[in-house]
Amino acid sequence: MVEYLPRSAWNARPPNGGPGNLTVSRVEGAVIHWPGTGSTSVIHSKAAVASALRGWQDYHMDTRGWSDIAYQVAVDQAGRAWTLRGLRTQSGANGDTDVNERYGAVLLILVTGEQPSAAMKATTRGVIADFRRIYPRGTAIRPHSAVRPEPTDCPGDPARAAIARGEFTPGHSEDDDMTPAQMQELKNFIEARTQAYALWTHRQLRKDLSAVVKAYALDIKNYERQTDAADAARAAAAVWATAPRSLQVDGTPAVDEPAAPDPNADPDLSLPDLDPFPDTPAEEAPASNGDQPTA
């Protein structure tokens, strides 16, 4: 909520009658104004603002014949909000009775060529938020030049541009207040960072993928070696399980070991037949007299 300086803060004159309060159902939004003095002398101090408000009230009441200063609320460059007619009282600043019944009126205390300060914009957003709480359908924010039946340059180019950028809209952040050049610079920065990040990610993924491929290839080789060894061992076991018992593991004929004697059987006392004259080579056999070779 905005803290509003009372009318006594600028020593306002009492109003001379007035049009009464706005009708909630008719209000469409708020209109932004400026004094339009044509001067470039800034009005920043509290005393200077109070003096200016008294002067505008005198002009509106004494010269224009209006009931009071025309606006509802004023906001200065320091971010101070000044109560003029008040948000509920119909303004006399928008151009004619119909427009005054459909819109409120907020005065920005700006001089020719002056940019609204961050404090002014922040307080104006607060005033607009308060206005919308009273008039829920009054969401529009328009420059005076957009609603006045007759042409006007109010509220000046800087304020008009701020309205177009949404800088007086409740919820707007000052971080969003960027010139086109700043926006382009930010866009270029984001694009450069995005490309750099994409390149870094690509390189990292290539490194990681290369490491994964190498590790996978090594695992495959180790698996194949282990699998081949295991398969060979299983194949050998299968071969030797079906091999003749007369073969040793290395493939040489096995030597049968003699069977152990049966302790319950009589021993075999028979002897094998022995040849008293074993075969001898012919050249070593003894010669007989009757068999002398003839000459």
Side-chain angles (χ1 to χ4, degrees), residues 17 25 42 45 59 85 95 125 128 143 146 159 178 245 252 274:
S25 61
V42 298
S45 70
Y59 173 73
R85 291 192 178 192
R125 288 194 294 272
I128 297 296
M178 302 182 72
R245 298 179 60 84
T252 59
L274 299 177

Side-chain angles (χ1 to χ4, degrees), residues 51-254:
S51 176
L53 291 174
R54 287 194 300 272
W56 296 326
Q57 184 187 41
D58 289 344
Y59 173 73
H60 289 173
M61 295 180 71
D62 299 338
T63 302
R64 304 300 297 268
W66 297 341
S67 62
D68 198 355
I69 189 171
Y71 317 100
Q72 292 177 305
V73 172
V75 180
D76 64 24
Q77 287 282 51
R80 291 179 289 253
W82 301 76
T83 301
L84 304 184
R85 291 192 178 192
L87 290 177
R88 296 184 182 276
T89 304
Q90 180 179 309
S91 85
N94 291 327
D96 62 23
T97 301
D98 176 65
V99 179
N100 287 334
E101 288 177 349
R102 291 189 291 117
Y103 291 95
V106 178
L107 173 68
L108 304 183
I109 303 180
L110 297 170
V111 298
T112 301
E114 188 175 18
Q115 295 287 339
S117 68
M120 173 179 279
K121 289 184 285 188
T123 297
T124 303
R125 288 194 294 272
V127 171
I128 297 296
D130 291 344
F131 186 85
R132 288 178 176 180
R133 276 189 281 271
I134 300 171
Y135 311 101
R137 298 175 60 184
T139 57
I141 302 173
R142 301 187 184 279
H144 187 202
S145 57
V147 301
R148 190 172 188 265
E150 298 175 4
T152 178
D153 64 348
C154 180
D157 291 338
R160 216 173 355 257
I163 294 170
R165 291 192 297 265
E167 294 174 6
F168 297 127
T169 303
H172 177 86
S173 171
E174 284 298 310
D175 294 337
D176 299 330
D177 298 342
M178 302 182 72
T179 65
Q182 290 172 328
M183 288 292 292
Q184 186 60 46
E185 183 179 356
L186 177 60
K187 180 181 178 182
N188 295 339
F189 173 76
I190 292 173
E191 289 179 351
R193 287 295 299 269
T194 300
Q195 293 175 0
Y197 179 73
L199 180 59
W200 178 84
T201 302
H202 177 70
R203 289 175 177 171
Q204 288 297 117
L205 288 177
R206 287 190 63 182
K207 290 179 182 178
D208 294 344
L209 182 60
S210 177
V212 169
V213 169
K214 289 179 180 178
Y216 178 75
L218 181 60
D219 288 344
I220 287 294
K221 289 181 180 179
N222 291 336
Y223 175 77
E224 289 176 347
R225 284 197 293 266
Q226 295 172 4
T227 302
D228 291 347
D231 289 345
R234 285 193 291 270
V239 169
W240 297 122
T242 59
R245 298 179 60 84
S246 60
L247 293 180
Q248 299 186 63
V249 174
D250 59 2
T252 59

Side-chain angles (χ1 to χ4, degrees), residues 281-293:
E283 63 272 15
E284 296 180 1
S288 171
N289 289 337
D291 294 326
Q292 290 286 340

